[in-house]
Amino acid sequence: MHIRQLKVERRLSIAAAQLAPEGQVKNKPKVKAKGKTKTKAKAKDKTKESLKSPESLKSPESLKIPESLKSPESLKNPNSPKSPKAKVVAAWSQSHTVPRVIYPHGKPRVLAVKEAAKPPRSQSGAKDSSQHKVLQQTIHSNLECFLFLQKPEEAERFLLLYHSSPAKRRLLDVNAYNIVMRCWARQGNLKHVNRLFSMLEATGLQPSLDSYAAALECMGRVPPPAKAVHRCVQQLKHNGFHVDELFQKCLFEEDEKEMVLRAVRIVQPEYQLPPPPSPQTCTSSLLQDFYSKEKMVSYPKLDFSVQELQERFQQQLEMELDNTVTIESVESTKPLTPQAGKARELLATLRSQWHDSLLQALQKSKRSMARLTTGSGYNTLYPYLCLLPDEEYVAIMMQILNSLSPQGESLAVLARELGNKIYDRHVTQRKLRSHQLEKVQEIYQGYIQLLARDSQPHQYLPREYWEKLVADAGFGPSLNLRDCSWPYVLLMRLGMHMLELLVRAAKVPRNILNPRLEPKLIPVLYHIYSFRSSGQVGLIKPHPIFSQIMSDAAEATLTFNSSAIPMLCPPVPWTSPNFGAFVLNDTKLMRFVDGAVQHQLLLEQCPPVNLHPVLDALNQLGNCAWKINQPVLDIIISIFNDKGNERLDIPPPVSEAPRPPTVPGGSAGSKTQKHELLLYKKKVAEMHSLRMDALYKLSIANYVRDKVFWFPHNMDFRGRTYPCPPYFNHLGNDVTRAILLFAEGRPLGPKGLDWLKIHLVNLTGLKKKNALQERLEYANEIMEEILDSADRPLTGRRWWMDTDEPWQALACCMEIAKASRCPDPAAYVSHFPIHQDGSCNGLQHYAALGRDLIGAISVNLMPCSVPQDVYSVVAQQVEEFRKKDAEQGVRIAQVLQGFISRKVVKQTVMTVVYGVTRYGGRLQMEKRLKEIDGFPEEYLWEASQYLVKQVFNSIKEMFSATRDIQNWLTESAKLIAQSGRTVEWVTPLGLPIVQPYYRSKPTVLNCGMQHLSVKTFYTNQKPDTVKQKNAFPPNFIHSLDSTHMMLTALHCLRQGLTFVSVHDCYWTHALTVDVMNQICRQQFVALHSERILQDLSKFMLETYCSPGRETRALWQKKLMEQLSNVPETGEFNLKKVMDSTYFFS
């Protein structure tokens, strides 16, 4: 397979020159006239000469200094002839450069969107453009490094590497010049800013609003004659901008805004900052009531005073400023043995040595890079190794070393982690340097007034109130930093460099545990290759000596990034795709695959008002306060420290692994023995992974056991929401959910105790087919078992252990016991979350979209006295098919007699709606059949193949409208992808979505240890047709279920309910279950009353089939026909959902 190679090191100075002529040869028509060629060569030489010395830059013949920006000296001699080629250069520049989107006013973005609308390029063209993007992004981030390091001379020298070569100059866009202008503007050096304007115009690029902001900032710092400022302002207006736009659209750091204003007031003394734009209101028909000012209610208060919230904010800020948090491990309660004490002392000594070795290795590598920068080459990584103090880089490497598992980790994963840690710390430093943090602190103090119980009520949403406070603040830095994201390829290269230093520098004496061995220094980490399903993978493994010392030390602490810990104060509200969640930690609104850029571009192009519902829903989920269920946590920790319990989903330590198979000494062993040994190693690795995951979750829970905390949320590209802290949150397993309670308590009310009991029975999994009343009666019958479980969880009859979700069941037993023993159960204040689950939610959305009556009945959209179980219905139908085939002598149908059950078909039925293929379905069936004792192993493949066919046939029969919609979505996506475009749509709440599946060829980084294959994603790459078409139906349905959840969250807020969700499982207090159920149904009906498929068809026709063309390509006609042919709907009455008890239950 042809793999494109990209050598990042020295690429920016050398390889760009080699790449550019290739691009030009492909893109430029041949020039026949020799005279023209000579003229071009002369012009190039002239440009080169003019850039050699500062003197030549003062008045070059080929460059025109804008009148508005001339320094007083240059104003004396204004006769600089205009370059005759300016227009040609501008035209060439516009047709050949793909500007990186930065500016809020979005001019370059229009070009980017139009570019995507063209027919797909040839693969070589896409390859060149993708490489062009990587190089251009790297130029920007390098220049930003010099800006941060306050090295304008270095920044300009780096820019000149490109500007002075016509071949390389095509990689520069206006933003590259702007960054260097800002470097000089900070020093008040107008002469250099003038020079950069001249260079900018010589390339044919137009100055942007940010260019003028830099020039005016410079004039504000060292005021020139008013005439120069006047000309600058006139030129700004001549280019189609307005002075007000400087303050409305530009992002400022430190005192830049004040300096620009000072310069403007030199020529307009009475100038006042433009008023903030009046807030826009979302006009979605689904949220007219929610955003109606007449129906606005006060935002619910938290049970904290202003002072308490200020203290919590300060704690959170200190934690984020430290970047990492070291907490006690739950294993630390074990007594310290002499062996462990000795191992800890040894480890401390070694770490001190490694720290010094790493520091020396880092400084040595920086010195060698610094020498290279002064020579002909240029090392791309050098500026990135100067952004933080050397000690911080060493601390990051030590953190990785200390957290490495004995089984090792993929080289790519470690490189990414190292690169990201450096980037995150740099962003923190930028926020501190730009004074953005000071402004966040100031605004958060005001924001507390919205939430604290002892403040006046406010009829604002968190986002609205924050935006109001920002508008009122006026001066100071912008809260959104300018985009300085580092290209993924560069991030990986930086991580690889740190990893290479770590492997080279960290050594341990070979005889440290065995004095009989020679005292030779050996590496602590070593690099090996392993074969995985995806091919050969490079791994970094710790030496067994290091693993043994770590194991013996059994350290009492764990270190996490501060973003892995729940927040100790309410999250900063999301106000844009770039701002929200943590106080300092950089968080993206939308999660996406590393290296993908399309989602962020789409969000930034989207009108801000269209994102308000999504932002407000995320803020609502994030503002739910939590606390720990301490009695349950203590029981779980006691079992965790007592060898665990696999039955209760508490992983045992690796020491409990079965003994390894013995291979006869001296022999290589048989194939069977080797296979057994391989399985043993795999089992040990799995046990270690599961144990560490549980250790992290329980230790974090133990750390916040006496605290109230919050989970800031973001979303994936389909709009599904997730808590940002990755280890411990309510999306976790049964153990994690059992130890979480709402911080806010509410009385149970008249029906609350009944809901607690029904919830318990739901958790047991015993009465799924029974009516709610029957579940309640069953709970009352087993009250003795419930109370015994609550009082003696580990010493009693332990009924709770035999349920589907044992830990949540135990927690619920304890809550029921406390409530039922209360003199007035209705007055008992409960913090316990009650869950209401959608009934095969994906099929519910399909049945509603197609108004499919049979499907609607099967998934509880229709009212019914008992819940309908679609899995049992499918199992029955498959059994009918099997009986017929068995009677006709089909052998496999006869073998399957007695083995077809709800459990066997459930996973496949559930995932059919999310696009599982027959191949995937067969694997699911095989797994379920393997679990059945007595099923003949030799028939596994044939039986699973037969069953998946019958399940698909059954669903096709039962859900005819569902299959029609699924097929329409699949075929539409296939045709769109074949036309060279990715599938995009907008959810009913206005969230823009693009599927990130491309046929991207990896970039290969040539690193010291190994070549590393890195995928990059750009809009000009060819889409992966198979992934685009297979993923569209499930992704579209996921975007609808997230829309339904967000609508429910927002309307629950208006009713004063506590609400959180785990996708299609909604949580609230026992008191408010009935109200939430009503809102949930209302919003489902409202959502599906919209013309969802018709709106999708209309959007796609506008996006992919340009209207107004008389001649259309054949593929476009076919696509138009497909998109226009929206599936017909059935006769199901959607309003019936309002009366369906088991729709969510």
Side-chain angles (χ1 to χ4, degrees):
M1 186 177 81
H2 168 73
I3 295 182
R4 170 167 50 89
Q5 294 216 353
L6 175 64
K7 294 183 181 179
V8 172
E9 203 150 308
R10 301 182 68 201
R11 163 65 90 196
L12 289 174
S13 60
I14 299 163
Q18 297 163 355
L19 276 171
E22 290 173 20
Q24 283 170 284
V25 169
K26 283 171 187 171
N27 291 320
K28 282 170 85 171
K30 290 180 181 176
V31 180
K32 290 179 184 176
K34 288 182 183 176
K36 286 184 181 177
T37 311
K38 283 180 183 175
T39 313
K40 282 184 182 177
K42 281 181 185 175
K44 286 178 187 175
D45 292 340
K46 257 186 181 180
T47 309
K48 281 183 183 174
E49 282 172 27
S50 69
L51 291 167
K52 281 178 185 173
S53 65
E55 288 77 26
S56 63
L57 275 165
K58 285 176 188 172
S59 56
E61 289 179 21
S62 60
L63 304 180
K64 177 180 180 290
I65 300 175
E67 291 291 323
S68 59
L69 295 180
K70 286 180 181 173
S71 59
E73 292 81 10
S74 64
L75 284 168
K76 293 171 189 173
N77 180 22
N79 302 317
S80 296
K82 188 174 180 180
S83 165
K85 289 204 172 180
K87 290 181 182 175
V88 178
V89 175
W92 186 89
S93 167
Q94 283 172 14
S95 62
H96 286 73
T97 53
V98 185
R100 181 156 174 255
V101 183
I102 294 292
Y103 300 105
H105 53 271
K107 288 198 175 184
R109 265 181 215 124
V110 179
L111 291 175
V113 173
K114 286 180 181 173
E115 182 70 21
K118 292 177 184 175
R121 299 180 181 192
S122 67
Q123 264 189 297
S124 61
K127 180 180 88 173
D128 284 351
S129 184
S130 177
Q131 223 160 357
H132 175 105
K133 277 263 189 183
V134 171
L135 291 168
Q136 194 178 61
Q137 269 193 308
T138 311
I139 291 167
H140 290 163
S141 51
N142 263 45
L143 291 170
E144 287 279 1
C145 286
F146 292 126
L147 174 63
F148 181 80
L149 295 167
Q150 297 179 346
K151 292 187 175 178
E153 296 88 355
E154 290 288 331
E156 188 161 328
R157 191 179 305 135
F158 184 77
L159 186 74
L160 285 173
L161 282 172
Y162 293 87
H163 182 86
S164 58
S165 162
K168 297 179 190 175
R169 198 183 297 162
R170 72 191 188 101
L171 290 167
L172 298 177
D173 64 358
V174 67
N175 191 50
Y177 293 91
N178 289 346
I179 297 168
V180 185
M181 282 184 209
R182 287 171 57 215
C183 288
W184 288 116
R186 281 192 184 172
Q187 299 199 356
N189 195 319
L190 189 58
K191 182 178 175 182
H192 280 276
V193 174
N194 288 341
R195 183 192 304 187
L196 287 155
F197 259 85
S198 303
M199 289 161 63
L200 179 63
E201 293 203 343
T203 62
L205 292 170
Q206 287 293 317
S208 69
L209 203 55
D210 279 349
S211 313
Y212 291 108
L216 288 165
E217 179 203 336
C218 186
M219 292 172 182
R221 293 191 192 284
V222 182
K227 198 172 179 181
V229 183
H230 178 73
R231 284 182 178 166
C232 179
V233 172
Q234 289 305 111
Q235 187 67 33
L236 175 145
K237 291 176 180 174
H238 178 72
N239 276 17
F241 300 117
H242 192 278
V243 172
D244 284 355
E245 288 182 280
L246 289 165
F247 303 101
Q248 290 167 334
K249 295 179 178 178
C250 291
L251 296 174
F252 296 106
E253 295 180 14
E254 300 180 44
D255 61 348
E256 290 172 355
K257 191 174 188 177
E258 286 77 358
M259 291 302 107
V260 174
L261 185 63
R262 182 189 289 177
V264 170
R265 283 180 175 165
I266 290 172
V267 290
Q268 298 180 28
E270 302 302 315
Y271 181 80
Q272 294 298 316
L273 286 177
S278 53
Q280 290 182 286
T281 304
C282 174
T283 56
S284 166
S285 57
L286 291 166
L287 290 166
Q288 278 176 343
D289 280 358
F290 180 78
Y291 287 112
S292 163
K293 293 297 174 193
E294 292 77 42
K295 298 187 180 179
M296 190 71 76
V297 293
S298 295
Y299 193 76
K301 300 289 183 181
L302 295 170
D303 191 22
F304 296 104
S305 66
V306 169
Q307 188 181 345
E308 285 170 329
L309 287 176
Q310 284 171 346
E311 287 166 4
R312 287 166 184 276
F313 173 78
Q314 207 54 42
Q315 290 170 15
Q316 177 65 28
L317 179 57
E318 284 165 16
M319 184 167 77
E320 290 189 43
L321 281 169
D322 289 340
N323 282 300
T324 58
V325 184
T326 299
I327 66 175
E328 272 200 11
S329 159
V330 291
E331 288 183 320
S332 65
T333 52
K334 295 177 182 176
L336 181 68
T337 63
Q339 183 191 16
K342 194 177 173 185
R344 288 181 191 179
E345 283 177 26
L346 179 59
L347 203 50
T349 307
L350 286 171
R351 281 175 178 158
S352 175
Q353 292 168 4
W354 294 335
H355 174 277
D356 295 344
S357 300
L358 285 168
L359 190 58
Q360 287 171 18
L362 174 68
Q363 289 169 346
K364 185 181 173 185
S365 92
K366 283 173 70 174
R367 281 195 298 271
S368 64
M369 286 182 186
R371 282 195 296 273
L372 184 62
T373 61
T374 57
S376 58
Y378 189 87
N379 193 299
T380 312
L381 295 183
Y382 181 66
Y384 299 90
L385 296 175
C386 300
L387 295 171
L388 306 173
D390 290 348
E391 287 283 350
E392 287 217 32
Y393 293 101
V394 174
I396 288 169
M397 288 187 274
M398 289 297 295
Q399 196 184 338
I400 293 292
L401 179 61
N402 292 329
S403 63
L404 195 60
S405 89
Q407 284 73 39
E409 185 56 271
S410 150
L411 199 79
V413 169
L414 290 175
R416 183 176 67 227
E417 197 174 341
L418 279 160
N420 280 329
K421 281 180 185 292
I422 294 168
Y423 175 74
D424 290 342
R425 293 203 186 187
H426 169 57
V427 170
T428 300
Q429 292 301 319
R430 275 191 74 202
K431 288 180 178 179
L432 291 169
R433 171 85 65 81
S434 70
H435 303 303
Q436 186 248 30
L437 175 59
E438 289 174 25
K439 190 162 181 178
V440 169
Q441 279 181 284
E442 178 196 330
I443 289 169
Y444 199 94
Q445 297 309 312
Y447 177 63
I448 286 170
Q449 302 295 322
L450 178 73
L451 306 173
R453 63 167 182 253
D454 57 345
S455 62
Q456 290 301 309
H458 295 277
Q459 293 188 339
Y460 288 98
L461 293 167
R463 172 190 53 79
E464 293 171 340
Y465 197 60
W466 187 277
E467 286 172 345
K468 176 187 180 296
L469 292 168
V470 172
D472 292 347
F475 282 109
S478 308
L479 289 182
N480 285 353
L481 290 180
R482 285 185 181 90
D483 178 36
C484 71
S485 53
W486 298 348
Y488 184 56
V489 170
L490 189 134
L491 206 72
M492 291 296 283
R493 182 68 192 88
L494 181 60
M496 278 297 292
H497 181 72
M498 306 306 287
L499 201 52
E500 284 166 4
L501 288 179
L502 192 53
V503 171
R504 256 199 328 263
K507 295 186 187 295
V508 64
R510 189 166 172 240
N511 66 342
I512 200 161
L513 295 180
N514 185 354
R516 286 176 295 177
L517 297 172
E518 58 177 314
K520 180 185 170 187
L521 284 175
I522 56 171
V524 174
L525 304 175
Y526 57 101
H527 174 227
I528 61 167
Y529 288 98
S530 176
F531 286 92
R532 303 275 170 89
S533 57
S534 56
Q536 189 170 285
V537 175
L539 295 178
I540 296 292
K541 283 194 82 169
H543 195 282
I545 290 174
F546 176 55
S547 297
Q548 186 62 53
I549 297 170
M550 288 289 284
S551 174
D552 291 346
E555 289 188 288
T557 59
L558 296 167
T559 300
F560 296 98
N561 282 349
S562 56
S563 57
I565 306 292
M567 287 187 72
L568 306 178
C569 67
V572 173
W574 284 106
T575 54
S576 78
N578 301 304
F579 187 82
F582 293 99
V583 178
L584 261 180
N585 290 321
D586 199 41
T587 313
K588 293 288 184 205
L589 176 67
M590 193 173 270
R591 303 167 173 220
F592 38 77
V593 183
D594 286 311
V597 295
Q598 298 82 352
H599 309 291
Q600 195 67 19
L601 289 179
L602 209 56
L603 288 173
E604 287 170 5
Q605 289 161 16
C606 181
V609 69
N610 291 7
L611 293 176
H612 285 177
V614 171
L615 300 179
D616 292 335
L618 286 168
N619 293 336
Q620 169 61 3
L621 296 171
N623 272 355
C624 174
W626 298 86
K627 69 175 187 174
I628 294 294
N629 189 334
Q630 293 185 12
V632 177
L633 176 63
D634 290 336
I635 295 167
I636 292 169
I637 290 174
S638 70
I639 293 175
F640 180 84
N641 283 333
D642 185 27
K643 299 182 181 178
N645 186 322
E646 286 190 272
R647 180 183 158 208
L648 294 175
D649 205 15
I650 298 177
V654 175
S655 57
E656 295 300 302
R659 294 182 68 81
T662 51
V663 178
S667 74
S670 67
K671 274 189 177 179
T672 309
Q673 287 169 326
K674 282 182 179 175
H675 183 63
E676 283 176 4
L677 190 62
L678 197 69
L679 289 176
Y680 165 75
K681 286 181 177 176
K682 188 181 175 187
K683 174 72 175 172
V684 167
E686 282 175 2
M687 285 180 73
H688 179 270
S689 177
L690 290 168
R691 179 77 176 177
M692 292 309 290
D693 181 59
L695 177 67
Y696 290 171
K697 286 174 177 170
L698 295 176
S699 299
I700 292 171
N702 200 45
Y703 174 69
V704 294
R705 65 181 296 131
D706 299 314
K707 300 178 171 76
V708 171
F709 51 90
W710 287 261
F711 296 122
H713 280 60
N714 63 0
M715 60 187 169
D716 66 15
F717 74 91
R718 303 161 304 186
R720 281 199 142 190
T721 59
Y722 301 85
C724 297
Y727 303 113
F728 174 65
N729 58 59
H730 60 288
L731 259 69
N733 60 4
D734 173 46
V735 174
T736 322
R737 294 184 191 189
I739 51 184
L740 280 167
L741 295 170
F742 291 137
E744 183 192 1
R746 298 210 175 176
L748 285 178
K751 290 179 69 179
L753 184 56
D754 288 351
W755 273 118
L756 273 172
K757 291 175 181 177
I758 291 166
H759 178 59
L760 173 62
V761 176
N762 289 347
L763 291 168
T764 66
L766 296 172
K767 299 285 177 182
K768 289 179 179 175
K769 297 179 187 177
N770 296 63
L772 290 183
Q773 187 57 37
E774 290 168 358
R775 296 181 208 181
L776 180 59
E777 287 164 7
Y778 174 70
N780 288 327
E781 285 166 21
I782 58 164
M783 206 56 196
E784 197 179 320
E785 298 287 2
I786 293 170
L787 296 175
D788 177 72
S789 294
D791 297 337
R792 298 180 298 154
L794 300 179
T795 56
R797 294 191 292 273
R798 294 179 283 200
W799 167 84
W800 63 276
M801 289 188 183
D802 296 318
T803 60
D804 278 5
E805 310 281 356
W807 290 107
Q808 289 177 82
L810 174 61
C812 198
C813 287
M814 290 177 167
E815 189 74 359
I816 290 169
K818 283 188 275 189
S820 59
R821 287 165 178 163
C822 183
D824 178 12
Y828 172 76
V829 176
S830 174
H831 297 259
F832 202 84
I834 302 294
H835 309 172
Q836 295 288 280
D837 259 317
S839 173
C840 200
N841 191 236
L843 279 172
Q844 288 181 325
H845 282 286
Y846 268 125
L849 281 172
R851 303 293 194 271
D852 181 353
L853 184 58
I854 297 169
I857 294 168
S858 306
V859 290
N860 294 299
L861 296 189
M862 280 286 276
C864 204
S865 56
V866 291
Q868 298 302 299
D869 182 32
V870 67
Y871 311 117
S872 299
V873 175
V874 171
Q876 286 166 12
Q877 191 146 8
V878 170
E879 176 60 17
E880 292 297 321
F881 292 152
R882 188 206 63 77
K883 276 182 186 171
K884 285 179 188 172
D885 289 344
E887 286 165 10
Q888 290 170 12
V890 177
R891 175 73 186 135
I892 195 63
Q894 294 166 348
V895 170
L896 276 163
Q897 184 173 350
F899 290 108
I900 294 172
S901 66
R902 178 187 190 274
K903 189 177 180 181
V904 169
V905 303
K906 180 180 176 179
Q907 190 183 7
T908 308
V909 174
M910 193 190 295
T911 51
V912 158
V913 65
Y914 295 124
V916 76
T917 58
R918 293 198 177 215
Y919 173 77
R922 192 201 68 72
L923 291 176
Q924 291 170 345
M925 294 288 189
E926 187 178 285
K927 197 174 177 184
R928 296 289 83 82
L929 291 172
K930 264 186 191 175
E931 292 167 359
I932 300 173
D933 293 333
F935 188 82
E937 203 170 311
E938 65 272 20
Y939 286 106
L940 275 175
W941 193 93
E942 196 181 347
S944 55
Q945 186 75 2
Y946 173 83
L947 280 177
V948 77
K949 181 184 168 189
Q950 301 305 349
V951 167
F952 272 62
N953 288 341
S954 172
I955 289 173
K956 197 172 181 180
E957 233 177 73
M958 285 173 62
F959 296 90
S960 54
T962 296
R963 297 305 291 182
D964 288 347
I965 294 168
Q966 218 168 17
N967 292 339
W968 180 72
L969 294 171
T970 303
E971 188 60 27
S972 299
K974 178 183 158 190
L975 291 173
I976 288 167
Q978 284 174 347
S979 76
R981 305 283 300 281
T982 50
V983 178
E984 290 183 29
W985 69 100
V986 177
T987 71
L989 278 187
L991 179 68
I993 294 175
V994 57
Q995 294 197 143
Y997 313 121
Y998 297 89
R999 285 165 52 192
S1000 59
K1001 290 190 175 178
T1003 295
V1004 176
L1005 300 183
N1006 298 336
C1007 304
M1009 281 192 286
Q1010 71 170 60
H1011 291 345
L1012 194 63
S1013 181
V1014 177
K1015 282 198 171 183
T1016 49
F1017 302 85
Y1018 290 98
T1019 47
N1020 55 0
Q1021 290 170 329
K1022 279 193 171 183
D1024 184 322
T1025 305
V1026 174
K1027 283 187 178 176
Q1028 288 284 345
K1029 79 179 180 69
N1030 287 343
F1032 184 34
N1035 285 341
F1036 182 69
I1037 294 299
H1038 278 313
S1039 75
L1040 289 183
D1041 72 42
S1042 80
T1043 300
H1044 175 223
M1045 185 281 294
M1046 287 179 179
L1047 285 168
T1048 305
L1050 292 173
H1051 285 87
C1052 282
L1053 164 63
R1054 279 285 177 257
Q1055 297 284 334
L1057 274 65
T1058 298
F1059 174 92
V1060 289
S1061 81
V1062 179
H1063 304 317
D1064 61 347
C1065 177
Y1066 297 172
W1067 299 15
T1068 192
H1069 287 95
L1071 173 70
T1072 52
V1073 173
D1074 291 310
V1075 183
M1076 184 188 74
N1077 274 334
Q1078 187 185 17
I1079 293 169
C1080 162
R1081 284 154 180 75
Q1082 284 170 347
Q1083 296 315 309
F1084 186 86
V1085 171
L1087 171 62
H1088 283 283
S1089 297
E1090 299 284 299
R1091 294 166 50 82
I1092 294 173
L1093 293 180
Q1094 289 78 4
D1095 289 346
L1096 177 67
S1097 166
K1098 184 183 174 186
F1099 172 82
M1100 288 184 157
L1101 282 167
E1102 287 172 2
T1103 306
Y1104 301 108
C1105 306
S1106 321
R1109 278 193 187 173
E1110 290 181 16
T1111 56
R1112 296 181 191 278
L1114 185 63
W1115 67 264
Q1116 205 169 22
K1117 286 179 182 173
K1118 193 175 178 184
L1119 180 57
M1120 278 191 73
E1121 191 179 324
Q1122 169 64 24
L1123 293 176
S1124 305
N1125 190 21
V1126 180
E1128 291 180 6
T1129 55
E1131 67 278 10
F1132 169 62
N1133 179 0
L1134 200 56
K1135 289 185 179 171
K1136 294 280 185 187
V1137 173
M1138 290 303 303
D1139 303 317
S1140 174
T1141 305
Y1142 302 103
F1143 164 62
F1144 266 62
S1145 66

